[in-house]
Amino acid sequence: MYAAKLHLVSKLPALADEVQFADLKNAIEETVEDVQKQIARMQIIYTLLDGEVAHGSIHGLTGLIEDAFEAINEQQDEPELRDLSIIFYLQNIESVEMASFQILQMAAVKLKNKHVNQLLKENYDEAKADRTLLLLISSKYITN
């Protein structure tokens, strides 16, 4: 998750510059801020657990992000379709993040560290809020 978050936060600002729908641009900018907070919390967790970032395979999540950006770039000539693609892929990414943070929360129960549990809960809650915002934006976008 950590590596995927770093990858995502490096990609999203450029995406925000390409959207047509102002609400979507604001949501992307808010998501960048949230991801930066989530990364900071994850760094705290690593410190609390005296752990290091694993450098194993990250191709699954970063691959999903890259596939999303490739699909979005294919819609360059159709701004409405591109914006809908952005909303679709960002919702999918947020769903994966929510699931990942839920699993991490369940695993963290074994650690009996309330601070770690709280940090993971905050990350989950932010991912959930971002996904809900994207759902609202997609509804508004489609009805406009």
Side-chain angles (χ1 to χ4, degrees), residues 20 75 77-87 141:
Q20 177 177 334
Q75 310 299 332
D77 296 335
E78 301 177 68
E80 294 86 9
L81 190 54
R82 184 189 61 230
D83 283 2
L84 283 174
S85 292
I86 291 168
I87 293 169
Y141 190 84

Side-chain angles (χ1 to χ4, degrees), residues 44-144:
I44 292 168
I45 291 169
Y46 280 115
T47 301
L48 288 171
L49 299 176
D50 197 28
E52 294 182 21
V53 176
H55 296 289
S57 176
I58 60 164
H59 300 295
L61 289 175
T62 56
L64 174 65
I65 294 166
E66 286 303 315
D67 286 350
F69 280 87
E70 185 177 316
I72 290 164
N73 286 333
E74 291 174 4
Q75 310 299 332
Q76 290 294 22
D77 296 335
E78 301 177 68
E80 294 86 9
L81 190 54
R82 184 189 61 230
D83 283 2
L84 283 174
S85 292
I86 291 168
I87 293 169
F88 171 77
Y89 283 106
L90 288 178
Q91 285 178 350
N92 285 329
I93 291 166
E94 291 295 346
S95 294
V96 169
E97 290 178 5
M98 286 172 56
S100 298
F101 286 129
Q102 277 183 317
I103 295 294
L104 289 171
Q105 281 180 284
M106 288 188 280
V109 169
K110 295 274 188 183
L111 299 175
K112 298 181 182 178
N113 185 318
K114 289 182 182 184
H115 195 192
V116 170
N117 289 337
Q118 181 60 36
L119 292 168
L120 289 169
K121 182 184 181 323
E122 290 172 21
N123 279 2
Y124 170 79
D125 289 344
E126 267 180 356
K128 183 177 178 182
D130 288 342
R131 185 172 182 278
T132 300
L133 176 61
L134 289 165
L135 286 170
L136 292 171
I137 289 171
S138 63
S139 175
K140 184 177 178 181
Y141 190 84
I142 290 169
T143 58
N144 279 344

